[in-house]
Amino acid sequence: KKVETATQSANASFTRMATAVRAIAASYAALKLAEYVKDATMLAARYETFGVVMRVVGNNAGYTGAQMETFARGLEKTGISMIEARQTLTRMVQANLDLTQSLKLARVAQDSAVIGNINSSEAFQRMVYGIQSGQVEILRTIGINVNFEDSYQKVATATGRVTTQLSEAEKSQIRMNAVMDAGKMIAGTYETAMGTAGKQVLS
């Protein structure tokens, strides 16, 4: 009788525990769903905002809204995130960079992402910022070794000028060309690395 009573008591305890666990699980699921909805809403809002900014900045530089969207979709096809594509295109316009070269730059970013052990979106963002700011240290962390001063000097000499006569727009374009040239040294690393589990997880 004592064993039977103890067994019944244990069964009742387990039943109550199971009920409590189900209630906690339901509450947790509801909380996570609410967080997901909130995050998704915020991301959608950011995407929309960056789209407006991208089109306005692009228009100011002579690009139509349709052209900017085409550039953004092209970047997305290379693995650049939707938000990062719009944000980085805006930075490229601000840096007076040729947007028709954005796909080539994104391709270099794919290879450099493997070296930097980051995803392509982050590598692309760093690359554009490095070009925009002229900070070679940022580019070196993702395997892009450049010397912008040497690049300025070569162009100035070829055009019969000195580096101080180069405009900021010219320097920006020179920096981007230097980065794309440096990208040839690491070309192919993305395709090779995509055969590994580690890179697939990052991507």
Side-chain angles (χ1 to χ4, degrees):
K1 287 181 179 179
K2 288 181 179 179
V3 171
E4 185 179 355
T5 301
T7 301
Q8 290 174 348
S9 177
N11 286 338
S13 295
F14 281 125
T15 300
R16 288 193 298 271
M17 186 184 298
T19 301
V21 168
R22 282 195 294 270
I24 292 171
S27 298
Y28 182 75
L31 176 63
K32 283 299 177 183
L33 179 60
E35 289 180 358
Y36 174 79
V37 170
K38 177 184 176 183
D39 290 344
T41 302
M42 293 302 295
L43 282 172
R46 285 182 62 199
Y47 179 72
E48 183 181 15
T49 300
F50 283 135
V52 172
V53 173
M54 177 188 74
R55 286 188 290 272
V56 170
V57 173
N59 289 339
N60 292 340
Y63 295 99
T64 65
Q67 285 178 310
M68 296 303 292
E69 289 294 346
T70 299
F71 290 136
R73 284 195 295 272
L75 291 177
E76 290 166 21
K77 289 179 182 178
T78 67
I80 306 301
S81 73
M82 296 167 69
I83 288 178
E84 198 63 57
R86 289 184 165 191
Q87 188 175 26
T88 308
L89 279 172
T90 300
R91 289 176 179 159
M92 288 184 70
V93 172
Q94 291 172 320
N96 298 307
L97 299 178
D98 182 4
L99 297 190
T100 61
Q101 301 296 312
S102 60
L103 288 181
K104 292 182 181 179
L105 204 60
R107 185 65 192 80
V108 176
Q110 287 180 319
D111 291 322
S112 64
V114 179
I115 296 172
N117 195 35
I118 53 180
N119 62 49
S120 299
S121 296
E122 186 176 350
F124 188 54
Q125 186 271 334
R126 288 191 195 181
M127 189 175 294
V128 171
Y129 180 72
I131 294 170
Q132 183 182 32
S133 64
Q135 296 181 35
V136 295
E137 294 80 8
I138 293 174
L139 296 168
R140 287 172 183 163
T141 63
I142 52 176
I144 303 295
N145 296 306
V146 289
N147 186 322
F148 290 143
E149 291 302 325
D150 283 351
S151 299
Y152 299 152
Q153 187 61 56
K154 288 177 183 177
V155 172
T157 300
T159 56
R161 294 179 290 174
V162 294
T163 56
T164 54
Q165 293 175 311
L166 297 173
S167 68
E168 284 304 313
E170 286 178 308
K171 287 183 177 180
S172 292
Q173 191 61 47
I174 291 169
R175 290 195 294 268
M176 184 168 75
N177 292 340
V179 167
M180 289 194 289
D181 284 342
K184 296 175 183 177
M185 298 297 294
I186 59 174
T189 55
Y190 177 78
E191 285 83 1
T192 304
M194 279 306 290
T196 66
K199 178 56 184 169
Q200 289 174 21
V201 169
L202 277 176
S203 292

PDB file of all heavy atoms in Angstrom, residues 3-34:
ATOM      1  N   VAL A   3       3.889   1.493  -1.222  1.00  0.00           N
ATOM      2  CA  VAL A   3       4.490   1.611  -2.549  1.00  0.00           C
ATOM      3  C   VAL A   3       3.471   2.167  -3.540  1.00  0.00           C
ATOM      4  O   VAL A   3       3.759   3.033  -4.368  1.00  0.00           O
ATOM      5  CB  VAL A   3       5.017   0.243  -3.014  1.00  0.00           C
ATOM      6  CG1 VAL A   3       5.443   0.335  -4.496  1.00  0.00           C
ATOM      7  CG2 VAL A   3       6.195  -0.191  -2.177  1.00  0.00           C
ATOM      8  N   GLU A   4       2.236   1.631  -3.449  1.00  0.00           N
ATOM      9  CA  GLU A   4       1.171   2.082  -4.352  1.00  0.00           C
ATOM     10  C   GLU A   4       0.880   3.563  -4.150  1.00  0.00           C
ATOM     11  O   GLU A   4       0.737   4.326  -5.105  1.00  0.00           O
ATOM     12  CB  GLU A   4      -0.099   1.255  -4.090  1.00  0.00           C
ATOM     13  CG  GLU A   4      -1.232   1.580  -5.060  1.00  0.00           C
ATOM     14  CD  GLU A   4      -2.464   0.732  -4.804  1.00  0.00           C
ATOM     15  OE1 GLU A   4      -2.415  -0.166  -3.939  1.00  0.00           O
ATOM     16  OE2 GLU A   4      -3.480   0.989  -5.472  1.00  0.00           O
ATOM     17  N   THR A   5       0.816   3.987  -2.893  1.00  0.00           N
ATOM     18  CA  THR A   5       0.565   5.396  -2.583  1.00  0.00           C
ATOM     19  C   THR A   5       1.698   6.284  -3.113  1.00  0.00           C
ATOM     20  O   THR A   5       1.472   7.343  -3.696  1.00  0.00           O
ATOM     21  CB  THR A   5       0.415   5.594  -1.062  1.00  0.00           C
ATOM     22  OG1 THR A   5      -0.663   4.781  -0.599  1.00  0.00           O
ATOM     23  CG2 THR A   5       0.138   7.050  -0.726  1.00  0.00           C
ATOM     24  N   ALA A   6       2.937   5.814  -2.909  1.00  0.00           N
ATOM     25  CA  ALA A   6       4.100   6.575  -3.367  1.00  0.00           C
ATOM     26  C   ALA A   6       4.099   6.693  -4.882  1.00  0.00           C
ATOM     27  O   ALA A   6       4.418   7.740  -5.464  1.00  0.00           O
ATOM     28  CB  ALA A   6       5.384   5.916  -2.883  1.00  0.00           C
ATOM     29  N   THR A   7       3.738   5.598  -5.559  1.00  0.00           N
ATOM     30  CA  THR A   7       3.696   5.603  -7.028  1.00  0.00           C
ATOM     31  C   THR A   7       2.645   6.572  -7.537  1.00  0.00           C
ATOM     32  O   THR A   7       2.884   7.339  -8.475  1.00  0.00           O
ATOM     33  CB  THR A   7       3.392   4.189  -7.542  1.00  0.00           C
ATOM     34  OG1 THR A   7       4.400   3.290  -7.082  1.00  0.00           O
ATOM     35  CG2 THR A   7       3.377   4.165  -9.067  1.00  0.00           C
ATOM     36  N   GLN A   8       1.480   6.557  -6.924  1.00  0.00           N
ATOM     37  CA  GLN A   8       0.416   7.463  -7.319  1.00  0.00           C
ATOM     38  C   GLN A   8       0.826   8.923  -7.101  1.00  0.00           C
ATOM     39  O   GLN A   8       0.550   9.792  -7.919  1.00  0.00           O
ATOM     40  CB  GLN A   8      -0.862   7.149  -6.532  1.00  0.00           C
ATOM     41  CG  GLN A   8      -1.505   5.827  -6.923  1.00  0.00           C
ATOM     42  CD  GLN A   8      -2.679   5.467  -6.026  1.00  0.00           C
ATOM     43  OE1 GLN A   8      -2.871   6.090  -4.975  1.00  0.00           O
ATOM     44  NE2 GLN A   8      -3.443   4.445  -6.425  1.00  0.00           N
ATOM     45  N   SER A   9       1.490   9.151  -5.977  1.00  0.00           N
ATOM     46  CA  SER A   9       1.960  10.504  -5.673  1.00  0.00           C
ATOM     47  C   SER A   9       2.987  10.975  -6.706  1.00  0.00           C
ATOM     48  O   SER A   9       2.961  12.116  -7.169  1.00  0.00           O
ATOM     49  CB  SER A   9       2.566  10.540  -4.271  1.00  0.00           C
ATOM     50  OG  SER A   9       3.079  11.829  -3.989  1.00  0.00           O
ATOM     51  N   ALA A  10       3.920  10.055  -7.060  1.00  0.00           N
ATOM     52  CA  ALA A  10       4.943  10.391  -8.064  1.00  0.00           C
ATOM     53  C   ALA A  10       4.295  10.679  -9.406  1.00  0.00           C
ATOM     54  O   ALA A  10       4.672  11.631 -10.116  1.00  0.00           O
ATOM     55  CB  ALA A  10       5.946   9.250  -8.179  1.00  0.00           C
ATOM     56  N   ASN A  11       3.324   9.852  -9.803  1.00  0.00           N
ATOM     57  CA  ASN A  11       2.633  10.056 -11.080  1.00  0.00           C
ATOM     58  C   ASN A  11       1.932  11.415 -11.116  1.00  0.00           C
ATOM     59  O   ASN A  11       1.954  12.121 -12.125  1.00  0.00           O
ATOM     60  CB  ASN A  11       1.604   8.939 -11.309  1.00  0.00           C
ATOM     61  CG  ASN A  11       2.280   7.624 -11.691  1.00  0.00           C
ATOM     62  OD1 ASN A  11       3.407   7.635 -12.172  1.00  0.00           O
ATOM     63  ND2 ASN A  11       1.594   6.506 -11.477  1.00  0.00           N
ATOM     64  N   ALA A  12       1.288  11.753  -9.993  1.00  0.00           N
ATOM     65  CA  ALA A  12       0.605  13.043  -9.920  1.00  0.00           C
ATOM     66  C   ALA A  12       1.606  14.189 -10.042  1.00  0.00           C
ATOM     67  O   ALA A  12       1.342  15.204 -10.702  1.00  0.00           O
ATOM     68  CB  ALA A  12      -0.162  13.140  -8.606  1.00  0.00           C
ATOM     69  N   SER A  13       2.775  14.033  -9.402  1.00  0.00           N
ATOM     70  CA  SER A  13       3.816  15.067  -9.463  1.00  0.00           C
ATOM     71  C   SER A  13       4.322  15.245 -10.895  1.00  0.00           C
ATOM     72  O   SER A  13       4.509  16.360 -11.382  1.00  0.00           O
ATOM     73  CB  SER A  13       4.982  14.704  -8.544  1.00  0.00           C
ATOM     74  OG  SER A  13       4.565  14.695  -7.196  1.00  0.00           O
ATOM     75  N   PHE A  14       4.560  14.104 -11.564  1.00  0.00           N
ATOM     76  CA  PHE A  14       5.019  14.168 -12.949  1.00  0.00           C
ATOM     77  C   PHE A  14       3.980  14.817 -13.854  1.00  0.00           C
ATOM     78  O   PHE A  14       4.305  15.558 -14.775  1.00  0.00           O
ATOM     79  CB  PHE A  14       5.363  12.764 -13.465  1.00  0.00           C
ATOM     80  CG  PHE A  14       6.710  12.275 -13.000  1.00  0.00           C
ATOM     81  CD1 PHE A  14       6.829  11.061 -12.337  1.00  0.00           C
ATOM     82  CD2 PHE A  14       7.863  13.024 -13.227  1.00  0.00           C
ATOM     83  CE1 PHE A  14       8.075  10.612 -11.908  1.00  0.00           C
ATOM     84  CE2 PHE A  14       9.116  12.580 -12.801  1.00  0.00           C
ATOM     85  CZ  PHE A  14       9.219  11.368 -12.134  1.00  0.00           C
ATOM     86  N   THR A  15       2.718  14.528 -13.589  1.00  0.00           N
ATOM     87  CA  THR A  15       1.643  15.130 -14.389  1.00  0.00           C
ATOM     88  C   THR A  15       1.616  16.639 -14.216  1.00  0.00           C
ATOM     89  O   THR A  15       1.492  17.401 -15.182  1.00  0.00           O
ATOM     90  CB  THR A  15       0.287  14.537 -13.982  1.00  0.00           C
ATOM     91  OG1 THR A  15       0.308  13.122 -14.204  1.00  0.00           O
ATOM     92  CG2 THR A  15      -0.841  15.145 -14.803  1.00  0.00           C
ATOM     93  N   ARG A  16       1.745  17.071 -12.955  1.00  0.00           N
ATOM     94  CA  ARG A  16       1.776  18.520 -12.693  1.00  0.00           C
ATOM     95  C   ARG A  16       2.999  19.161 -13.332  1.00  0.00           C
ATOM     96  O   ARG A  16       2.940  20.264 -13.881  1.00  0.00           O
ATOM     97  CB  ARG A  16       1.759  18.780 -11.174  1.00  0.00           C
ATOM     98  CG  ARG A  16       0.425  18.490 -10.510  1.00  0.00           C
ATOM     99  CD  ARG A  16       0.375  19.068  -9.106  1.00  0.00           C
ATOM    100  NE  ARG A  16       1.377  18.480  -8.234  1.00  0.00           N
ATOM    101  CZ  ARG A  16       1.173  17.376  -7.495  1.00  0.00           C
ATOM    102  NH1 ARG A  16      -0.006  16.751  -7.540  1.00  0.00           N
ATOM    103  NH2 ARG A  16       2.136  16.898  -6.728  1.00  0.00           N
ATOM    104  N   MET A  17       4.127  18.451 -13.246  1.00  0.00           N
ATOM    105  CA  MET A  17       5.364  18.976 -13.825  1.00  0.00           C
ATOM    106  C   MET A  17       5.229  19.103 -15.345  1.00  0.00           C
ATOM    107  O   MET A  17       5.640  20.105 -15.942  1.00  0.00           O
ATOM    108  CB  MET A  17       6.535  18.051 -13.496  1.00  0.00           C
ATOM    109  CG  MET A  17       7.893  18.595 -13.940  1.00  0.00           C
ATOM    110  SD  MET A  17       9.230  17.434 -13.633  1.00  0.00           S
ATOM    111  CE  MET A  17       9.147  17.288 -11.864  1.00  0.00           C
ATOM    112  N   ALA A  18       4.648  18.074 -15.974  1.00  0.00           N
ATOM    113  CA  ALA A  18       4.464  18.107 -17.426  1.00  0.00           C
ATOM    114  C   ALA A  18       3.570  19.263 -17.836  1.00  0.00           C
ATOM    115  O   ALA A  18       3.821  19.954 -18.827  1.00  0.00           O
ATOM    116  CB  ALA A  18       3.878  16.779 -17.900  1.00  0.00           C
ATOM    117  N   THR A  19       2.521  19.484 -17.046  1.00  0.00           N
ATOM    118  CA  THR A  19       1.614  20.595 -17.331  1.00  0.00           C
ATOM    119  C   THR A  19       2.346  21.929 -17.224  1.00  0.00           C
ATOM    120  O   THR A  19       2.188  22.823 -18.062  1.00  0.00           O
ATOM    121  CB  THR A  19       0.425  20.570 -16.351  1.00  0.00           C
ATOM    122  OG1 THR A  19      -0.259  19.326 -16.479  1.00  0.00           O
ATOM    123  CG2 THR A  19      -0.537  21.709 -16.648  1.00  0.00           C
ATOM    124  N   ALA A  20       3.188  22.053 -16.179  1.00  0.00           N
ATOM    125  CA  ALA A  20       3.954  23.287 -15.978  1.00  0.00           C
ATOM    126  C   ALA A  20       4.945  23.509 -17.114  1.00  0.00           C
ATOM    127  O   ALA A  20       5.105  24.626 -17.625  1.00  0.00           O
ATOM    128  CB  ALA A  20       4.675  23.234 -14.642  1.00  0.00           C
ATOM    129  N   VAL A  21       5.610  22.409 -17.519  1.00  0.00           N
ATOM    130  CA  VAL A  21       6.590  22.516 -18.601  1.00  0.00           C
ATOM    131  C   VAL A  21       5.913  22.940 -19.903  1.00  0.00           C
ATOM    132  O   VAL A  21       6.434  23.780 -20.654  1.00  0.00           O
ATOM    133  CB  VAL A  21       7.334  21.173 -18.789  1.00  0.00           C
ATOM    134  CG1 VAL A  21       8.142  21.186 -20.088  1.00  0.00           C
ATOM    135  CG2 VAL A  21       8.257  20.917 -17.609  1.00  0.00           C
ATOM    136  N   ARG A  22       4.751  22.368 -20.186  1.00  0.00           N
ATOM    137  CA  ARG A  22       4.014  22.746 -21.398  1.00  0.00           C
ATOM    138  C   ARG A  22       3.623  24.225 -21.360  1.00  0.00           C
ATOM    139  O   ARG A  22       3.688  24.923 -22.369  1.00  0.00           O
ATOM    140  CB  ARG A  22       2.771  21.867 -21.554  1.00  0.00           C
ATOM    141  CG  ARG A  22       3.053  20.475 -22.092  1.00  0.00           C
ATOM    142  CD  ARG A  22       1.761  19.796 -22.571  1.00  0.00           C
ATOM    143  NE  ARG A  22       0.864  19.533 -21.473  1.00  0.00           N
ATOM    144  CZ  ARG A  22       0.869  18.410 -20.757  1.00  0.00           C
ATOM    145  NH1 ARG A  22       1.746  17.449 -21.031  1.00  0.00           N
ATOM    146  NH2 ARG A  22       0.003  18.236 -19.771  1.00  0.00           N
ATOM    147  N   ALA A  23       3.225  24.694 -20.194  1.00  0.00           N
ATOM    148  CA  ALA A  23       2.845  26.103 -20.059  1.00  0.00           C
ATOM    149  C   ALA A  23       4.048  27.013 -20.287  1.00  0.00           C
ATOM    150  O   ALA A  23       3.955  28.041 -20.977  1.00  0.00           O
ATOM    151  CB  ALA A  23       2.239  26.349 -18.677  1.00  0.00           C
ATOM    152  N   ILE A  24       5.188  26.618 -19.706  1.00  0.00           N
ATOM    153  CA  ILE A  24       6.419  27.411 -19.878  1.00  0.00           C
ATOM    154  C   ILE A  24       6.840  27.411 -21.345  1.00  0.00           C
ATOM    155  O   ILE A  24       7.217  28.448 -21.902  1.00  0.00           O
ATOM    156  CB  ILE A  24       7.551  26.855 -18.993  1.00  0.00           C
ATOM    157  CG1 ILE A  24       7.218  27.096 -17.510  1.00  0.00           C
ATOM    158  CG2 ILE A  24       8.886  27.502 -19.349  1.00  0.00           C
ATOM    159  CD1 ILE A  24       8.167  26.403 -16.564  1.00  0.00           C
ATOM    160  N   ALA A  25       6.774  26.230 -21.978  1.00  0.00           N
ATOM    161  CA  ALA A  25       7.169  26.120 -23.383  1.00  0.00           C
ATOM    162  C   ALA A  25       6.275  26.984 -24.266  1.00  0.00           C
ATOM    163  O   ALA A  25       6.752  27.654 -25.190  1.00  0.00           O
ATOM    164  CB  ALA A  25       7.098  24.664 -23.832  1.00  0.00           C
ATOM    165  N   ALA A  26       4.987  26.982 -23.979  1.00  0.00           N
ATOM    166  CA  ALA A  26       4.058  27.799 -24.758  1.00  0.00           C
ATOM    167  C   ALA A  26       4.357  29.286 -24.582  1.00  0.00           C
ATOM    168  O   ALA A  26       4.346  30.059 -25.541  1.00  0.00           O
ATOM    169  CB  ALA A  26       2.620  27.497 -24.335  1.00  0.00           C
ATOM    170  N   SER A  27       4.653  29.673 -23.348  1.00  0.00           N
ATOM    171  CA  SER A  27       4.978  31.078 -23.077  1.00  0.00           C
ATOM    172  C   SER A  27       6.262  31.485 -23.780  1.00  0.00           C
ATOM    173  O   SER A  27       6.359  32.570 -24.359  1.00  0.00           O
ATOM    174  CB  SER A  27       5.118  31.303 -21.569  1.00  0.00           C
ATOM    175  OG  SER A  27       3.905  31.026 -20.911  1.00  0.00           O
ATOM    176  N   TYR A  28       7.264  30.584 -23.745  1.00  0.00           N
ATOM    177  CA  TYR A  28       8.548  30.862 -24.382  1.00  0.00           C
ATOM    178  C   TYR A  28       8.373  30.995 -25.899  1.00  0.00           C
ATOM    179  O   TYR A  28       8.937  31.886 -26.532  1.00  0.00           O
ATOM    180  CB  TYR A  28       9.538  29.741 -24.068  1.00  0.00           C
ATOM    181  CG  TYR A  28      10.908  29.954 -24.639  1.00  0.00           C
ATOM    182  CD1 TYR A  28      11.785  30.889 -24.065  1.00  0.00           C
ATOM    183  CD2 TYR A  28      11.341  29.240 -25.754  1.00  0.00           C
ATOM    184  CE1 TYR A  28      13.045  31.101 -24.600  1.00  0.00           C
ATOM    185  CE2 TYR A  28      12.601  29.447 -26.293  1.00  0.00           C
ATOM    186  CZ  TYR A  28      13.441  30.371 -25.703  1.00  0.00           C
ATOM    187  OH  TYR A  28      14.687  30.571 -26.230  1.00  0.00           O
ATOM    188  N   ALA A  29       7.574  30.081 -26.465  1.00  0.00           N
ATOM    189  CA  ALA A  29       7.326  30.125 -27.910  1.00  0.00           C
ATOM    190  C   ALA A  29       6.628  31.425 -28.295  1.00  0.00           C
ATOM    191  O   ALA A  29       6.961  32.048 -29.311  1.00  0.00           O
ATOM    192  CB  ALA A  29       6.479  28.928 -28.322  1.00  0.00           C
ATOM    193  N   ALA A  30       5.671  31.850 -27.490  1.00  0.00           N
ATOM    194  CA  ALA A  30       4.957  33.099 -27.767  1.00  0.00           C
ATOM    195  C   ALA A  30       5.908  34.286 -27.689  1.00  0.00           C
ATOM    196  O   ALA A  30       5.850  35.215 -28.504  1.00  0.00           O
ATOM    197  CB  ALA A  30       3.812  33.274 -26.774  1.00  0.00           C
ATOM    198  N   LEU A  31       6.815  34.258 -26.687  1.00  0.00           N
ATOM    199  CA  LEU A  31       7.794  35.336 -26.524  1.00  0.00           C
ATOM    200  C   LEU A  31       8.728  35.398 -27.727  1.00  0.00           C
ATOM    201  O   LEU A  31       8.985  36.479 -28.272  1.00  0.00           O
ATOM    202  CB  LEU A  31       8.602  35.113 -25.239  1.00  0.00           C
ATOM    203  CG  LEU A  31       9.746  36.104 -24.969  1.00  0.00           C
ATOM    204  CD1 LEU A  31       9.192  37.509 -24.780  1.00  0.00           C
ATOM    205  CD2 LEU A  31      10.540  35.683 -23.742  1.00  0.00           C
ATOM    206  N   LYS A  32       9.228  34.227 -28.158  1.00  0.00           N
ATOM    207  CA  LYS A  32      10.140  34.183 -29.298  1.00  0.00           C
ATOM    208  C   LYS A  32       9.445  34.625 -30.586  1.00  0.00           C
ATOM    209  O   LYS A  32      10.036  35.292 -31.429  1.00  0.00           O
ATOM    210  CB  LYS A  32      10.703  32.761 -29.473  1.00  0.00           C
ATOM    211  CG  LYS A  32      11.787  32.423 -28.474  1.00  0.00           C
ATOM    212  CD  LYS A  32      12.959  33.379 -28.643  1.00  0.00           C
ATOM    213  CE  LYS A  32      14.047  33.148 -27.631  1.00  0.00           C
ATOM    214  NZ  LYS A  32      15.134  34.154 -27.775  1.00  0.00           N
ATOM    215  N   LEU A  33       8.193  34.249 -30.737  1.00  0.00           N
ATOM    216  CA  LEU A  33       7.440  34.662 -31.913  1.00  0.00           C
ATOM    217  C   LEU A  33       7.278  36.179 -31.936  1.00  0.00           C
ATOM    218  O   LEU A  33       7.444  36.820 -32.980  1.00  0.00           O
ATOM    219  CB  LEU A  33       6.063  33.987 -31.924  1.00  0.00           C
ATOM    220  CG  LEU A  33       5.156  34.354 -33.106  1.00  0.00           C
ATOM    221  CD1 LEU A  33       5.812  33.964 -34.424  1.00  0.00           C
ATOM    222  CD2 LEU A  33       3.797  33.679 -32.962  1.00  0.00           C
ATOM    223  N   ALA A  34       6.993  36.752 -30.759  1.00  0.00           N
ATOM    224  CA  ALA A  34       6.848  38.206 -30.659  1.00  0.00           C
ATOM    225  C   ALA A  34       8.164  38.900 -31.000  1.00  0.00           C
ATOM    226  O   ALA A  34       8.187  39.920 -31.700  1.00  0.00           O
ATOM    227  CB  ALA A  34       6.387  38.594 -29.262  1.00  0.00           C
TER     228      ALA A  34
END
